[in-house]
Amino acid sequence: MMGLESEIDKSVLRARLAAERDALNEELRVVWSERCSQHLVNYVQECGFNRILAYVPFRSELNISPFVEWCWSSDVEVWVPRCRRQDRSMTFYRLRDWDNLVDGAYGIKEPDPETMETLSEAVLPDLVIVPGLGFDYHGGRIGYGGGYYDRYAAAASNDWKSKPVSWIGVGYESQIMEKVPTEAHDLRLGGIATETGVRTSIEA
């Protein structure tokens, strides 16, 4: 279990990384988001993926909306999460239009569970796109502290053994760190996508 000192250190790091991302030039964020979205399009086309677990962009996160909209026009399924605060779990729903979203946890737009299709445990994705505050080229990621993706990945690892699933972090190149502080239970990514491209040759 992570000690109190380490938890404080991570909280300080998260605050710094969030402030640095917020301070990025807004016009450049738009340009970088479009470039990254195109790299994701190329990656999905090259790999032949048909079902994507994605995220709904929030605040200064890299905006993958152009990629999501390309998926819709290309018959690639997009599923996005709804967070459950009680146990910090996520349930994914099929997103077909931005109007499907309602106000959810933490001020993030989330799927409307009354009107949208839930992802069955028997249905496996090809790609999981994960946001975050910081990443490294060793598969490390620092998120927002809720542990949602860590829990989801841990549960999915048992259900998805029959099929390889790609886990890709998405962020600006400036969010890449030399080494993200990680614990044994933290999600390990298989690649990182930024405005410069998609890198899947993660170093040990």
Side-chain angles (χ1 to χ4, degrees), residues 14-34:
R14 287 189 185 98
R16 177 174 68 80
L17 293 174
E20 290 175 355
R21 192 182 67 188
D22 290 343
L24 293 173
N25 180 278
E26 188 171 352
E27 292 182 359
L28 286 177
R29 290 205 310 258
V30 172
V31 172
W32 294 336
S33 293
E34 290 175 348

Side-chain angles (χ1 to χ4, degrees), residues 15-69:
R16 177 174 68 80
L17 293 174
E20 290 175 355
R21 192 182 67 188
D22 290 343
L24 293 173
N25 180 278
E26 188 171 352
E27 292 182 359
L28 286 177
R29 290 205 310 258
V30 172
V31 172
W32 294 336
S33 293
E34 290 175 348
R35 288 178 181 172
C36 183
S37 289
Q38 185 58 55
H39 292 311
L40 286 170
V41 167
N42 296 340
Y43 179 62
V44 168
Q45 287 181 315
E46 289 169 5
C47 296
F49 292 155
N50 295 303
R51 184 175 296 115
I52 315 295
L53 302 193
Y55 64 90
V56 177
F58 178 62
R59 292 181 179 170
S60 61
E61 285 180 339
L62 191 143
N63 189 341
I64 60 169
S65 296
F67 168 69
V68 170
E69 290 167 8

Side-chain angles (χ1 to χ4, degrees), residues 114-131:
E114 300 298 322
T115 62
M116 296 174 65
E117 176 186 356
T118 308
L119 182 68
S120 165
E121 292 183 1
V123 177
L124 304 182
D126 299 303
L127 171 66
V128 184
I129 295 176
V130 186

